[in-house]
Amino acid sequence: MPRAGLRRLRSPRVWGPGGAVIVAGAVTAVALTAGAGPDTAATADGLPHTTVEISPGDCGRGWQHPHSGTQVFDLRNSSSGAAEVYLRGAGGGPVYGEVEGIGPGTTRQLRVRLGPGAYAFTCLPDDANATTGPTVRVTGGGPAGPAAAPVTQHDLIDPAIDYQKWVAGGLDDLVRQTEDLRAAVTDGDLAAARTAWLPAHLTYERLGAAYGEFGDADQKINGTTAGLAGGVHDPGFTGFHRVEYGLWHGESAAGLRAPAAALAEAVHALRDEWAQDRMDPAALGLRAHEILENTAQFELTGRTDYGSGSNLATARANLDGTRAVLVRLRPLLTTRYPELPRLESGLDRTGRLLDGFRRDGRWTPLDALSRAERQRTNAAVGDLVERLASVATLCDPRRTV
């Protein structure tokens, strides 16, 4: 499936009900009306607003009259550079909300629910050390909104190393399977080649969180015709889908020998290079989300079907790939993401749903599903994508200096 590439999450974030992460769009400050206190004002949203400075020299300035309950902080960056900001429990406590990428001269909003306790803003300008504002104590009211202990780059190193070793084992399997595919094509046994194609392709698809580290090799191994002027006949169309197209569109074994050999050689090269690579730990949580995001965008729409009708098998492999990441992130998520059991249950249900489309050893083509079956599948994967967005946010490493 095509890869979205590593994207940094750049939007206001706050832990919502049940610990889920609410991601809101950038919102500039609105006009204020009647004041609710010396440093707050009520707006059309009915909530008190407090304007807070986030520049390095004035981090947290303006929050002088704290109160409990749901409220909005209008975060004003009066410095000459971009910055991000966290609202945390005082003394390096859990994060209640954050906003990234606040440009110079820009005001962005952060909505949180505060209860009794001590809080402080931490401001992190680009290319400068973090600064922490004054501690502010809130009294009275109900409990504060959900919060999560920040994940650091160091926290992700061991999960990333373990995942990288797992990928190495998968690449060993992939080398053997693509060699089987090449041998069948070389022998002229196209029926055996069609049988060998799917297991090899699914092995590759299970390695989902590593695609960003594969670089140009991913395009050689699993690229599509997107952006190719010649479509399926373009010389740049290579890899699994090139072989798939030929196998299911009547191409001769002689015509497929070069594409099958190129695929096997690209896989060999990737396996050898992977032993020297180092996966970016910061990418792990984001990749867990992107795997199924791409599944919904490309596999469940049939955009990557070049004749085999195996999109649902690929979706199932992508589900396995997501689990492989979550297993390694689970120690970090257990104490940070209360919705983790529901996410895992959703993965189980979706797995059973997809498994039901494999009948008598054959996967149902996407276009053979009933409307109700497609709706159930899209809804199940869509729900997982939403939940995995929370995982991506929670596992996005926070700066501490």
Side-chain angles (χ1 to χ4, degrees):
M1 64 184 170
R3 315 302 166 203
L6 183 61
R7 300 189 303 272
R8 303 300 291 167
L9 303 175
R10 291 288 176 186
S11 53
R13 298 179 294 190
V14 59
W15 317 122
V21 181
I22 299 173
V23 181
V27 182
T28 56
V30 297
L32 304 182
T33 58
D39 58 350
T40 63
T43 62
D45 58 20
L47 297 173
H49 283 234
T50 302
T51 299
V52 173
E53 297 287 339
I54 64 165
S55 57
D58 292 313
C59 182
R61 185 171 66 87
W63 191 16
Q64 299 175 350
H65 301 277
H67 55 87
S68 61
T70 302
Q71 55 199 283
V72 176
F73 290 99
D74 295 308
L75 306 173
R76 183 170 60 197
N77 183 4
S78 57
S79 70
S80 59
E84 59 185 284
V85 62
Y86 308 151
L87 177 59
R88 303 180 62 176
V95 177
Y96 288 84
E98 61 186 288
V99 183
E100 294 183 323
I102 308 176
T106 300
T107 299
R108 301 271 293 278
Q109 295 182 343
L110 176 63
R111 174 172 169 166
V112 294
R113 186 176 76 244
L114 301 182
Y119 305 88
F121 280 101
T122 297
C123 304
L124 302 102
D126 287 359
D127 303 319
N129 290 335
T131 59
T132 299
T135 296
V136 174
R137 299 189 179 278
V138 173
T139 59
V151 170
T152 67
Q153 184 95 354
H154 180 76
D155 294 329
L156 293 166
I157 290 175
D158 285 345
I161 291 174
D162 188 51
Y163 182 77
Q164 186 160 351
K165 292 177 180 177
W166 178 81
V167 170
L171 289 173
D172 286 339
D173 293 338
L174 186 63
V175 165
R176 291 191 292 271
Q177 290 170 322
T178 52
E179 284 296 343
D180 289 343
L181 174 59
R182 171 159 60 175
V185 172
T186 300
D187 292 343
D189 190 344
L190 296 186
R194 282 189 288 271
T195 299
W197 182 88
L198 184 58
H201 185 237
L202 297 185
T203 294
Y204 186 79
E205 289 285 345
R206 292 187 183 98
L207 309 180
Y211 294 137
E213 314 300 322
F214 289 168
D216 293 340
D218 182 54
Q219 180 63 30
K220 293 179 182 178
I221 293 171
N222 207 37
T224 67
T225 55
L228 299 180
V232 294
H233 303 295
D234 195 291
F237 183 36
T238 62
F240 275 112
H241 292 303
R242 167 65 183 89
V243 175
E244 175 189 10
Y245 179 80
L247 285 173
W248 275 272
H249 286 85
E251 189 169 354
S252 68
L256 281 171
R257 282 174 189 145
L263 170 61
E265 289 164 8
V267 168
H268 271 279
L270 177 60
R271 193 268 307 271
D272 295 342
E273 291 168 4
W274 186 251
Q276 309 302 320
D277 287 341
R278 292 294 179 269
M279 185 172 181
D280 179 9
L284 205 55
L286 181 57
R287 294 300 184 197
H289 174 246
E290 285 186 339
I291 294 170
L292 289 186
E293 184 181 44
N294 283 337
T295 301
Q297 185 177 0
F298 298 106
E299 304 305 334
L300 298 187
T301 59
R303 291 167 62 182
T304 53
D305 182 10
Y306 287 88
S308 67
S310 60
N311 285 96
L312 292 171
T314 301
R316 186 63 175 87
N318 295 158
L319 203 68
D320 292 338
T322 300
R323 280 193 180 278
V325 182
L326 289 177
V327 164
R328 287 151 181 90
L329 292 176
R330 200 176 196 283
L332 297 175
L333 294 172
T334 299
T335 57
R336 291 175 171 86
Y337 186 39
E339 292 292 301
L340 182 59
R342 293 189 181 184
L343 170 59
E344 292 175 332
S345 295
L347 288 167
D348 290 340
R349 287 194 303 273
T350 306
R352 291 192 295 270
L353 174 64
L354 292 172
D355 287 340
F357 299 132
R358 188 171 188 266
R359 298 155 184 162
D360 298 325
R362 299 176 62 86
W363 285 90
T364 303
L366 196 64
D367 58 9
L369 296 183
S370 68
R371 182 176 181 180
E373 287 173 329
R374 291 196 71 154
Q375 287 176 337
R376 284 198 301 272
T377 304
N378 290 339
V381 173
D383 178 71
L384 291 175
V385 171
E386 290 186 12
R387 294 182 184 278
L388 287 163
S390 300
V391 172
T393 300
L394 285 163
C395 294
D396 187 20
R398 270 67 182 173
R399 283 178 54 195
T400 57
V401 294

